[in-house]
Structures are given as C-alpha cells and as structure tokens.
Amino acid sequence: MARRVLPYAVAALVLGLAGCSNYQSAQRPAWRGQAENACLSQNLVHVSAYLQPSREIDGPGICGLYHPFKVTALQNGEVALNSTALLGCPMIAELDAWLADVVQPLAQARFGQRVVEINSMGAYSCRSMNNQYGAPVSEHAFGNAIDIGGFRLADGREISIVRDWTRGDDQTQAFLRDVQAGACTHFTTVLAPGSNVFHYNHIHVDLAMHGNTSTGARRICKPAPQMTLPAPPSDGLPEAPAIDDETDIAQGRAPQPAMALHAGPGSPVASLPPAYTAPAYTSSTRPPQSSAYAPAPQPPARGSMREDGAFVPEGRPEEWDITSSIAPR
C-alpha cells in the first residue's frame, strides 16, 4: 500500500512547488534602480517648475519607476513638451544632453532657428514592445523611453516625422536624419521610420541595457544613419546692429550731432537766403490764367506787403477776386 501512495505523494509535491512559482511576483531588474539612484546622486536633473518629482510607480508586474518625474519641458523650460511625460532621471538627463549637443546646433545650422517644442507621442506606459501580445516588456514600462513625433521651431514651423521624413524639403529631411544619427550616440536604442512597420511616424529612443561590446555599450540604431546634404553656408554678413546702435552703417561713421539753429555770425541760419518776397506783377510777367466757364480775372499790376507778410493787391476786389463778383443768394 505504501508503494502505491509514494508516487502520488511525490507528484503532489512537484505540482505544489510548481504552483508556488506561479504566485511569486516578477522582480524588476536591479540595474534599473541603480541607474535612477546614480543619476540623482550626480545631480543630473534639477527640480523646477518644468520638472516635478512624482510618487513611485510599483506595478502592475515589474512595470514602474522608483523616482519618476513629471516633465513639461526640457533644457530648463526652453524646449516644451506638447504633453506631460512621466520619465526617469537617466532618460531626462540624456534628452537634455541630446538637445544641447545635437538637435539645437542642427536646427540652427539648417533653419537658423532653435527648437522650442517636442511633439511627444508617449513616455511611461506599462505595456509590451509595440503593444504586441506576448512580446517582451517595453522600455516605456520603466519610464526609460520616449517616442518623438516631430519638432516645432522658434518661428512656428512644424516639422512632422510622418510627413517630412520622406516628403519634406531637402534640408528638413537632412535635419531629421542627422537628428536620428546623433541620437544613436546618446541612446542605446533608436528606431526611426524604416526600422519596422511600427515606427513609420516617430523616432523611438531609450536607454535599454543590451549588453557590452569591446567598444562600450551595445547600441541598436535602425535604420542605419545615412550621409546627408551639407547645411546651407553662412552668408558671411555681420549681425544686424541693435535698435539703439548709433553707428551709421551706410557711411561707415557715426552720425553727426543735430545742427544748432541760431542766427549768430557764421551760423548756418545766417547764410540762408532771405525770406521770399512776392514780386509786383506787370503785364509782361503775370502768368496766364484760364477757366472752363469764364476768363479768370487778371492779377493786379501793383500791390503792397502787409506786416504779417501777406500781399495786398491794389484796386477793387472784383478786379482780382472772382468770388467777389458772385451775387449772394
């Protein structure tokens, strides 16, 4: 009888142990917490109006962050996000570095403008890669990734990845490809249009740990960066002067002070011609006059100047003023 019971007992014990393993919660990899703590201890991010610490996110499963931040802008508020993003400290620090080292210099060279906003298409999200059932957990589930759909320049121009990656003008396409290539030196994963069907409209960047190589951390960068057109050359002209700059650019010298008006000897006013004096009309010098209705009266031959400088002709008004001959109604 004992021999019959023993196999059942062993089977029950094995099944029991297997069942216990199903109820053990998965553990978040230790390196993730270590990366967050190292970033904070090095003061790589600073709390501000645009960067606020949030409560720890623990689960479901291994999803979450120990020290998440709510981010509304990067680079100390100079580059806004179109929506609030939940991100970890390492990702925030690397985004700031990428903007400073790559994005802003490229935007200035290609367009003469700075980037003032990033169109974010998603940051923290407890999900699998590409939202596919059965796929590995995404870096988005740890606040360690962000999807970028485009940029807005200081002059208001919108650069959309879904539109401009293949249909933008030459400089815009070159800008986006250079931005992606520069991201590959800052992040360990960069997936842009052409990498797969899921990234046709954005650039995904994250700091996943893919292992090490002889030259450093292993990086995934798809599609492979391409050579692009050079940036437009500088026109070589000096910067425009400030509004209050008194330099006379046209003459290459400072403007002269305003001329003082006084009538002393040798002054400009003293050398001006005398005030105009109306000439006395004669029959040989008076100008011809004409009218569509009646001949204009002839100007008087003689007259005098009043004290106020007005010329007063001699004779009766009807001889020189046509209105004086109109009978009142």
Side-chain angles (χ1 to χ4, degrees):
M1 184 69 178
R3 291 180 180 178
R4 290 173 126 190
V5 173
L6 183 58
Y8 292 105
V10 172
L13 178 61
V14 171
L15 291 173
L17 292 174
C20 288
S21 65
N22 291 333
Y23 291 96
Q24 290 177 354
S25 60
Q27 297 296 313
R28 194 179 306 158
W31 70 266
R32 297 190 180 277
Q34 294 167 0
E36 289 187 66
N37 291 332
C39 179
L40 293 171
S41 66
Q42 296 175 44
N43 294 318
L44 297 182
V45 300
H46 302 281
V47 175
S48 67
Y50 316 100
L51 192 66
Q52 290 290 312
S54 186
R55 296 173 57 184
E56 177 183 353
I57 303 174
D58 187 14
I62 62 174
C63 294
L65 296 91
Y66 298 102
H67 307 285
F69 287 87
K70 291 182 178 180
V71 185
T72 58
L74 297 162
Q75 289 197 307
N76 197 30
E78 293 184 6
V79 180
L81 297 180
N82 63 320
S83 59
T84 302
L86 271 175
L87 291 168
C89 178
M91 195 65 192
I92 297 168
E94 207 59 49
L95 282 168
D96 270 333
W98 174 59
L99 284 167
D101 299 342
V102 176
V103 177
Q104 297 294 24
L106 286 173
Q108 195 69 45
R110 298 282 179 187
F111 312 114
Q113 301 284 333
R114 290 178 60 82
V115 167
V116 297
E117 185 178 63
I118 288 177
N119 175 19
S120 169
M121 295 179 63
Y124 172 78
S125 176
C126 184
R127 61 176 176 82
S128 61
M129 289 184 180
N130 304 315
N131 284 307
Q132 297 299 296
Y133 178 78
V137 178
S138 170
E139 288 300 308
H140 286 282
F142 308 104
N144 203 32
I146 189 171
D147 292 337
I148 297 171
F151 306 89
R152 182 168 63 86
L153 302 179
D155 62 0
R157 177 176 178 178
E158 301 282 349
I159 297 177
S160 168
I161 291 173
V162 69
R163 177 191 66 219
D164 295 322
W165 186 267
T166 55
R167 290 178 290 167
D169 59 53
D170 290 343
Q171 290 299 328
T172 303
Q173 290 191 46
F175 168 74
L176 290 176
R177 280 161 177 76
D178 289 343
V179 159
Q180 181 229 359
C184 294
T185 66
H186 281 269
F187 304 96
T188 55
T189 310
V190 178
L191 302 174
S195 60
N196 57 41
V197 296
F198 302 106
H199 295 86
Y200 72 97
N201 62 350
H202 67 277
I203 298 175
H204 167 99
V205 296
D206 70 43
L207 291 172
M209 185 178 288
H210 301 301
N212 293 320
T213 68
S214 59
T215 58
R218 180 171 179 262
R219 299 176 185 273
I220 298 174
C221 184
K222 297 181 179 180
Q226 303 172 4
M227 295 293 293
T228 61
L229 295 173
S234 172
D235 56 17
L237 297 176
E239 294 293 330
I243 295 299
D244 57 352
D245 191 343
E246 297 184 356
T247 301
D248 188 346
I249 301 298
Q251 302 298 328
R253 53 185 171 80
Q256 301 300 316
M259 184 183 300
L261 297 180
H262 59 277
S267 71
V269 176
S271 62
L272 293 176
Y276 170 77
T277 303
Y281 284 106
T282 65
S283 58
S284 61
T285 60
R286 60 182 177 235
Q289 301 289 330
S290 62
S291 171
Y293 302 97
Q298 300 300 320
R302 294 180 301 277
S304 61
M305 297 294 294
R306 288 197 317 222
E307 292 182 358
D308 59 3
F311 177 74
V312 180
E314 294 182 357
R316 294 174 301 170
E318 56 268 20
E319 294 178 355
W320 45 268
D321 185 359
I322 190 171
T323 60
S324 65
S325 61
I326 300 176
R329 294 184 179 182

PDB file of all heavy atoms in Angstrom, residues 306-328:
ATOM      1  N   ARG A 306       1.675 143.414 -46.371  1.00  0.00           N
ATOM      2  CA  ARG A 306       1.234 143.783 -45.028  1.00  0.00           C
ATOM      3  C   ARG A 306       2.293 143.377 -44.006  1.00  0.00           C
ATOM      4  O   ARG A 306       3.254 142.674 -44.313  1.00  0.00           O
ATOM      5  CB  ARG A 306      -0.082 143.071 -44.706  1.00  0.00           C
ATOM      6  CG  ARG A 306      -1.262 143.618 -45.474  1.00  0.00           C
ATOM      7  CD  ARG A 306      -2.568 143.171 -44.829  1.00  0.00           C
ATOM      8  NE  ARG A 306      -2.546 141.764 -44.424  1.00  0.00           N
ATOM      9  CZ  ARG A 306      -3.588 140.941 -44.616  1.00  0.00           C
ATOM     10  NH1 ARG A 306      -4.667 141.386 -45.223  1.00  0.00           N
ATOM     11  NH2 ARG A 306      -3.521 139.702 -44.212  1.00  0.00           N
ATOM     12  N   GLU A 307       2.076 143.832 -42.762  1.00  0.00           N
ATOM     13  CA  GLU A 307       3.033 143.498 -41.722  1.00  0.00           C
ATOM     14  C   GLU A 307       3.108 141.992 -41.471  1.00  0.00           C
ATOM     15  O   GLU A 307       4.151 141.461 -41.073  1.00  0.00           O
ATOM     16  CB  GLU A 307       2.655 144.209 -40.408  1.00  0.00           C
ATOM     17  CG  GLU A 307       2.824 145.716 -40.487  1.00  0.00           C
ATOM     18  CD  GLU A 307       2.492 146.375 -39.171  1.00  0.00           C
ATOM     19  OE1 GLU A 307       2.100 145.636 -38.230  1.00  0.00           O
ATOM     20  OE2 GLU A 307       2.617 147.599 -39.055  1.00  0.00           O
ATOM     21  N   ASP A 308       1.990 141.297 -41.719  1.00  0.00           N
ATOM     22  CA  ASP A 308       2.003 139.855 -41.496  1.00  0.00           C
ATOM     23  C   ASP A 308       2.579 139.091 -42.683  1.00  0.00           C
ATOM     24  O   ASP A 308       2.597 137.855 -42.694  1.00  0.00           O
ATOM     25  CB  ASP A 308       0.602 139.336 -41.175  1.00  0.00           C
ATOM     26  CG  ASP A 308      -0.400 139.625 -42.294  1.00  0.00           C
ATOM     27  OD1 ASP A 308       0.023 140.188 -43.340  1.00  0.00           O
ATOM     28  OD2 ASP A 308      -1.584 139.272 -42.123  1.00  0.00           O
ATOM     29  N   GLY A 309       3.059 139.768 -43.717  1.00  0.00           N
ATOM     30  CA  GLY A 309       3.703 139.119 -44.858  1.00  0.00           C
ATOM     31  C   GLY A 309       2.767 138.812 -46.001  1.00  0.00           C
ATOM     32  O   GLY A 309       3.202 138.250 -47.000  1.00  0.00           O
ATOM     33  N   ALA A 310       1.489 139.151 -45.908  1.00  0.00           N
ATOM     34  CA  ALA A 310       0.545 138.860 -46.980  1.00  0.00           C
ATOM     35  C   ALA A 310       0.603 139.949 -48.046  1.00  0.00           C
ATOM     36  O   ALA A 310       0.762 141.135 -47.741  1.00  0.00           O
ATOM     37  CB  ALA A 310      -0.873 138.754 -46.415  1.00  0.00           C
ATOM     38  N   PHE A 311       0.480 139.579 -49.329  1.00  0.00           N
ATOM     39  CA  PHE A 311       0.478 140.531 -50.435  1.00  0.00           C
ATOM     40  C   PHE A 311      -0.935 141.059 -50.630  1.00  0.00           C
ATOM     41  O   PHE A 311      -1.887 140.288 -50.791  1.00  0.00           O
ATOM     42  CB  PHE A 311       0.976 139.833 -51.704  1.00  0.00           C
ATOM     43  CG  PHE A 311       0.950 140.722 -52.917  1.00  0.00           C
ATOM     44  CD1 PHE A 311       1.895 141.739 -53.072  1.00  0.00           C
ATOM     45  CD2 PHE A 311      -0.006 140.546 -53.896  1.00  0.00           C
ATOM     46  CE1 PHE A 311       1.870 142.549 -54.194  1.00  0.00           C
ATOM     47  CE2 PHE A 311      -0.026 141.363 -55.021  1.00  0.00           C
ATOM     48  CZ  PHE A 311       0.908 142.370 -55.175  1.00  0.00           C
ATOM     49  N   VAL A 312      -1.088 142.364 -50.618  1.00  0.00           N
ATOM     50  CA  VAL A 312      -2.391 143.002 -50.799  1.00  0.00           C
ATOM     51  C   VAL A 312      -2.361 143.761 -52.129  1.00  0.00           C
ATOM     52  O   VAL A 312      -1.627 144.743 -52.277  1.00  0.00           O
ATOM     53  CB  VAL A 312      -2.697 143.972 -49.646  1.00  0.00           C
ATOM     54  CG1 VAL A 312      -4.075 144.623 -49.854  1.00  0.00           C
ATOM     55  CG2 VAL A 312      -2.621 143.247 -48.322  1.00  0.00           C
ATOM     56  N   PRO A 313      -3.118 143.291 -53.112  1.00  0.00           N
ATOM     57  CA  PRO A 313      -3.120 143.992 -54.412  1.00  0.00           C
ATOM     58  C   PRO A 313      -3.902 145.296 -54.334  1.00  0.00           C
ATOM     59  O   PRO A 313      -4.786 145.466 -53.488  1.00  0.00           O
ATOM     60  CB  PRO A 313      -3.790 142.981 -55.337  1.00  0.00           C
ATOM     61  CG  PRO A 313      -4.668 142.181 -54.440  1.00  0.00           C
ATOM     62  CD  PRO A 313      -3.956 142.108 -53.113  1.00  0.00           C
ATOM     63  N   GLU A 314      -3.577 146.211 -55.258  1.00  0.00           N
ATOM     64  CA  GLU A 314      -4.311 147.460 -55.347  1.00  0.00           C
ATOM     65  C   GLU A 314      -5.535 147.276 -56.235  1.00  0.00           C
ATOM     66  O   GLU A 314      -5.610 146.359 -57.040  1.00  0.00           O
ATOM     67  CB  GLU A 314      -3.413 148.551 -55.919  1.00  0.00           C
ATOM     68  CG  GLU A 314      -2.248 148.924 -55.017  1.00  0.00           C
ATOM     69  CD  GLU A 314      -1.413 150.041 -55.610  1.00  0.00           C
ATOM     70  OE1 GLU A 314      -1.722 150.478 -56.736  1.00  0.00           O
ATOM     71  OE2 GLU A 314      -0.434 150.441 -54.952  1.00  0.00           O
ATOM     72  N   GLY A 315      -6.470 148.158 -56.080  1.00  0.00           N
ATOM     73  CA  GLY A 315      -7.655 148.097 -56.897  1.00  0.00           C
ATOM     74  C   GLY A 315      -8.825 147.491 -56.158  1.00  0.00           C
ATOM     75  O   GLY A 315      -8.746 147.120 -54.981  1.00  0.00           O
ATOM     76  N   ARG A 316      -9.969 147.358 -56.879  1.00  0.00           N
ATOM     77  CA  ARG A 316     -11.163 146.802 -56.263  1.00  0.00           C
ATOM     78  C   ARG A 316     -11.105 145.270 -56.240  1.00  0.00           C
ATOM     79  O   ARG A 316     -10.528 144.666 -57.142  1.00  0.00           O
ATOM     80  CB  ARG A 316     -12.399 147.268 -57.050  1.00  0.00           C
ATOM     81  CG  ARG A 316     -12.634 148.779 -56.957  1.00  0.00           C
ATOM     82  CD  ARG A 316     -13.770 149.201 -57.863  1.00  0.00           C
ATOM     83  NE  ARG A 316     -13.461 148.851 -59.253  1.00  0.00           N
ATOM     84  CZ  ARG A 316     -14.351 148.923 -60.240  1.00  0.00           C
ATOM     85  NH1 ARG A 316     -15.567 149.305 -60.008  1.00  0.00           N
ATOM     86  NH2 ARG A 316     -13.992 148.596 -61.483  1.00  0.00           N
ATOM     87  N   PRO A 317     -11.732 144.629 -55.239  1.00  0.00           N
ATOM     88  CA  PRO A 317     -11.661 143.156 -55.142  1.00  0.00           C
ATOM     89  C   PRO A 317     -12.168 142.438 -56.382  1.00  0.00           C
ATOM     90  O   PRO A 317     -11.629 141.405 -56.769  1.00  0.00           O
ATOM     91  CB  PRO A 317     -12.530 142.845 -53.923  1.00  0.00           C
ATOM     92  CG  PRO A 317     -12.484 144.095 -53.101  1.00  0.00           C
ATOM     93  CD  PRO A 317     -12.409 145.237 -54.099  1.00  0.00           C
ATOM     94  N   GLU A 318     -13.235 143.003 -57.036  1.00  0.00           N
ATOM     95  CA  GLU A 318     -13.778 142.286 -58.183  1.00  0.00           C
ATOM     96  C   GLU A 318     -12.813 142.253 -59.361  1.00  0.00           C
ATOM     97  O   GLU A 318     -13.002 141.504 -60.324  1.00  0.00           O
ATOM     98  CB  GLU A 318     -15.118 142.896 -58.619  1.00  0.00           C
ATOM     99  CG  GLU A 318     -15.060 144.389 -58.940  1.00  0.00           C
ATOM    100  CD  GLU A 318     -15.399 145.233 -57.707  1.00  0.00           C
ATOM    101  OE1 GLU A 318     -15.282 144.688 -56.569  1.00  0.00           O
ATOM    102  OE2 GLU A 318     -15.799 146.376 -57.874  1.00  0.00           O
ATOM    103  N   GLU A 319     -11.773 143.085 -59.283  1.00  0.00           N
ATOM    104  CA  GLU A 319     -10.796 143.081 -60.349  1.00  0.00           C
ATOM    105  C   GLU A 319      -9.829 141.894 -60.233  1.00  0.00           C
ATOM    106  O   GLU A 319      -9.199 141.524 -61.217  1.00  0.00           O
ATOM    107  CB  GLU A 319     -10.004 144.391 -60.335  1.00  0.00           C
ATOM    108  CG  GLU A 319     -10.859 145.619 -60.668  1.00  0.00           C
ATOM    109  CD  GLU A 319     -10.051 146.890 -60.586  1.00  0.00           C
ATOM    110  OE1 GLU A 319      -8.862 146.797 -60.167  1.00  0.00           O
ATOM    111  OE2 GLU A 319     -10.560 147.957 -60.944  1.00  0.00           O
ATOM    112  N   TRP A 320      -9.672 141.331 -59.023  1.00  0.00           N
ATOM    113  CA  TRP A 320      -8.708 140.230 -58.860  1.00  0.00           C
ATOM    114  C   TRP A 320      -9.248 139.031 -58.087  1.00  0.00           C
ATOM    115  O   TRP A 320      -8.604 137.997 -58.015  1.00  0.00           O
ATOM    116  CB  TRP A 320      -7.440 140.733 -58.143  1.00  0.00           C
ATOM    117  CG  TRP A 320      -7.708 141.609 -56.930  1.00  0.00           C
ATOM    118  CD1 TRP A 320      -7.812 142.964 -56.907  1.00  0.00           C
ATOM    119  CD2 TRP A 320      -7.886 141.162 -55.600  1.00  0.00           C
ATOM    120  NE1 TRP A 320      -8.063 143.441 -55.651  1.00  0.00           N
ATOM    121  CE2 TRP A 320      -8.108 142.310 -54.791  1.00  0.00           C
ATOM    122  CE3 TRP A 320      -7.909 139.924 -54.968  1.00  0.00           C
ATOM    123  CZ2 TRP A 320      -8.332 142.265 -53.428  1.00  0.00           C
ATOM    124  CZ3 TRP A 320      -8.118 139.890 -53.609  1.00  0.00           C
ATOM    125  CH2 TRP A 320      -8.327 141.033 -52.841  1.00  0.00           C
ATOM    126  N   ASP A 321     -10.491 139.177 -57.526  1.00  0.00           N
ATOM    127  CA  ASP A 321     -11.074 138.058 -56.767  1.00  0.00           C
ATOM    128  C   ASP A 321     -12.362 137.650 -57.452  1.00  0.00           C
ATOM    129  O   ASP A 321     -13.354 138.378 -57.415  1.00  0.00           O
ATOM    130  CB  ASP A 321     -11.341 138.491 -55.331  1.00  0.00           C
ATOM    131  CG  ASP A 321     -11.835 137.329 -54.482  1.00  0.00           C
ATOM    132  OD1 ASP A 321     -11.983 136.217 -55.030  1.00  0.00           O
ATOM    133  OD2 ASP A 321     -12.063 137.515 -53.274  1.00  0.00           O
ATOM    134  N   ILE A 322     -12.362 136.466 -58.100  1.00  0.00           N
ATOM    135  CA  ILE A 322     -13.524 136.037 -58.860  1.00  0.00           C
ATOM    136  C   ILE A 322     -14.732 135.799 -57.968  1.00  0.00           C
ATOM    137  O   ILE A 322     -15.861 135.946 -58.386  1.00  0.00           O
ATOM    138  CB  ILE A 322     -13.189 134.792 -59.676  1.00  0.00           C
ATOM    139  CG1 ILE A 322     -14.320 134.488 -60.673  1.00  0.00           C
ATOM    140  CG2 ILE A 322     -12.957 133.585 -58.781  1.00  0.00           C
ATOM    141  CD1 ILE A 322     -13.961 133.403 -61.668  1.00  0.00           C
ATOM    142  N   THR A 323     -14.500 135.433 -56.733  1.00  0.00           N
ATOM    143  CA  THR A 323     -15.643 135.149 -55.849  1.00  0.00           C
ATOM    144  C   THR A 323     -16.390 136.394 -55.445  1.00  0.00           C
ATOM    145  O   THR A 323     -17.555 136.349 -55.069  1.00  0.00           O
ATOM    146  CB  THR A 323     -15.140 134.433 -54.586  1.00  0.00           C
ATOM    147  OG1 THR A 323     -14.216 135.273 -53.903  1.00  0.00           O
ATOM    148  CG2 THR A 323     -14.487 133.132 -54.915  1.00  0.00           C
ATOM    149  N   SER A 324     -15.746 137.554 -55.526  1.00  0.00           N
ATOM    150  CA  SER A 324     -16.425 138.788 -55.118  1.00  0.00           C
ATOM    151  C   SER A 324     -17.466 139.237 -56.109  1.00  0.00           C
ATOM    152  O   SER A 324     -18.312 140.079 -55.806  1.00  0.00           O
ATOM    153  CB  SER A 324     -15.377 139.889 -54.912  1.00  0.00           C
ATOM    154  OG  SER A 324     -14.751 140.178 -56.144  1.00  0.00           O
ATOM    155  N   SER A 325     -17.416 138.667 -57.339  1.00  0.00           N
ATOM    156  CA  SER A 325     -18.393 139.057 -58.355  1.00  0.00           C
ATOM    157  C   SER A 325     -19.603 138.144 -58.382  1.00  0.00           C
ATOM    158  O   SER A 325     -20.495 138.343 -59.202  1.00  0.00           O
ATOM    159  CB  SER A 325     -17.724 139.055 -59.741  1.00  0.00           C
ATOM    160  OG  SER A 325     -17.258 137.754 -60.054  1.00  0.00           O
ATOM    161  N   ILE A 326     -19.642 137.105 -57.514  1.00  0.00           N
ATOM    162  CA  ILE A 326     -20.777 136.176 -57.475  1.00  0.00           C
ATOM    163  C   ILE A 326     -21.846 136.786 -56.590  1.00  0.00           C
ATOM    164  O   ILE A 326     -21.585 137.093 -55.411  1.00  0.00           O
ATOM    165  CB  ILE A 326     -20.355 134.825 -56.972  1.00  0.00           C
ATOM    166  CG1 ILE A 326     -19.280 134.226 -57.904  1.00  0.00           C
ATOM    167  CG2 ILE A 326     -21.562 133.879 -56.856  1.00  0.00           C
ATOM    168  CD1 ILE A 326     -18.732 132.912 -57.414  1.00  0.00           C
ATOM    169  N   ALA A 327     -23.038 136.970 -57.141  1.00  0.00           N
ATOM    170  CA  ALA A 327     -24.102 137.600 -56.373  1.00  0.00           C
ATOM    171  C   ALA A 327     -24.559 136.639 -55.253  1.00  0.00           C
ATOM    172  O   ALA A 327     -24.720 135.450 -55.481  1.00  0.00           O
ATOM    173  CB  ALA A 327     -25.280 137.926 -57.283  1.00  0.00           C
ATOM    174  N   PRO A 328     -24.790 137.140 -54.078  1.00  0.00           N
ATOM    175  CA  PRO A 328     -25.274 136.278 -52.992  1.00  0.00           C
ATOM    176  C   PRO A 328     -26.686 135.817 -53.254  1.00  0.00           C
ATOM    177  O   PRO A 328     -27.472 136.512 -53.862  1.00  0.00           O
ATOM    178  CB  PRO A 328     -25.189 137.201 -51.770  1.00  0.00           C
ATOM    179  CG  PRO A 328     -25.256 138.587 -52.311  1.00  0.00           C
ATOM    180  CD  PRO A 328     -24.594 138.543 -53.643  1.00  0.00           C
TER     181      PRO A 328
END
